[in-house]
Amino acid sequence: MSSIRNIYCVGRNYVLHAKELNNEVPTSPFMFSKPTHALVEANGNTIVLPGERGSVHYETELVIRIGKPYEKGIAVDELVNGLAIGIDFTLRDIQNEMKKRGYPWLLAKGFPNSAVVSKFVTFPGVERCKSMDFVLIKNGVKAQQGNIQHMLFDLQTIIDFSAQHFGLGEGDIIFTGTPEGVGEIADGDHMSLLWGGQIVGECTVHLA
């Protein structure tokens, strides 16, 4: 995990998720970032999150890892060398207040342990990814299921946009957006992250 450099995130990249939170559907990639202090691996551990700042929501996402310096025109399959399933934990009450005031989302998105990732596996290529779903199981019940086919902005668009506006290089990761079905977590919730039907990460949440 120490090799991770920048953490970029795509907001509102699935239409039904944007609608479930009553947000406008974007016409270009809607990006934000998280500090590296937010990053933690789901490896059967207990992850501590703030329990005194209002509702904490899970947002399950496919996460890609950049394997070499970006060059204009480079294809996703050449650039990306790893894939994980992640959870973008969000302080929803704080985020709603930030949105009302027109403030950045950092307080709601950037707290420690808010960027959870499973182990990284070898990136199988874009076309193969389209045939595989990512899933969050919460306390034994399926909470979210997504497929990159349903993204508003595909992986190539996200990568090119990120490189143009922020820079993109080896060790950067991108949370590519969450599908519908986000919801609140409770203390003691057990989360399993699945890719192609296989568990690739697990954790238990402790709200402190």
Side-chain angles (χ1 to χ4, degrees):
M1 299 296 287
S2 60
S3 61
I4 302 300
R5 295 177 63 201
N6 296 297
I7 305 171
Y8 299 129
C9 307
V10 187
R12 306 175 188 174
N13 202 23
Y14 290 78
V15 172
L16 293 181
H17 169 61
K19 290 183 176 180
E20 75 179 345
L21 295 184
N22 297 314
N23 291 320
E24 292 183 7
V25 176
T27 56
S28 67
F30 184 85
M31 306 286 297
F32 60 94
S33 65
K34 290 177 179 263
T36 52
H37 293 292
L39 191 66
V40 62
E41 184 178 355
N43 56 12
N45 51 337
T46 295
I47 293 176
V48 179
L49 299 172
E52 77 289 352
R53 303 181 208 168
S55 177
V56 184
H57 278 207
Y58 57 82
E59 300 185 6
T60 312
E61 315 197 6
L62 185 139
V63 182
I64 54 174
R65 184 181 63 203
I66 306 303
K68 63 174 66 173
Y70 175 88
E71 298 176 4
K72 189 173 182 179
I74 194 170
V76 175
D77 288 0
E78 185 180 353
L79 184 67
V80 175
N81 72 349
L83 175 153
I85 308 305
I87 305 175
D88 164 21
F89 279 119
T90 303
L91 299 174
R92 189 69 74 201
D93 295 336
I94 291 178
Q95 186 192 36
N96 289 338
E97 186 63 27
M98 297 298 101
K99 286 159 62 175
K100 288 178 184 177
R101 298 185 181 190
Y103 289 175
W105 293 358
L106 187 58
L107 285 175
K109 291 283 194 177
F111 53 94
N113 298 336
S114 64
V116 175
V117 292
S118 72
K119 65 180 180 181
F120 278 88
V121 300
T122 301
F123 185 69
V126 173
E127 291 307 310
R128 177 65 174 150
C129 284
K130 291 178 181 178
S131 69
M132 302 172 73
D133 290 348
F134 59 92
V135 174
L136 171 67
I137 303 293
K138 183 167 74 79
N139 300 327
V141 178
K142 182 164 65 176
Q144 278 189 284
Q145 181 170 343
N147 189 295
I148 66 169
Q149 293 187 77
H150 303 136
M151 288 178 172
L152 277 170
F153 307 105
D154 63 17
L155 296 182
Q156 189 70 59
T157 300
I158 292 167
I159 284 173
D160 292 339
F161 185 92
S162 299
Q164 177 185 354
H165 292 279
F166 316 118
L168 197 62
E170 183 177 358
D172 293 342
I173 63 172
I174 304 175
F175 281 67
T176 59
T178 192
E180 72 277 9
V182 304
E184 188 172 4
I185 59 166
D187 187 54
D189 279 349
H190 182 77
M191 322 289 274
S192 298
L193 299 166
L194 280 69
W195 170 241
Q198 302 295 317
I199 294 176
V200 290
E202 292 185 273
C203 65
T204 300
V205 173
H206 174 52
L207 298 180

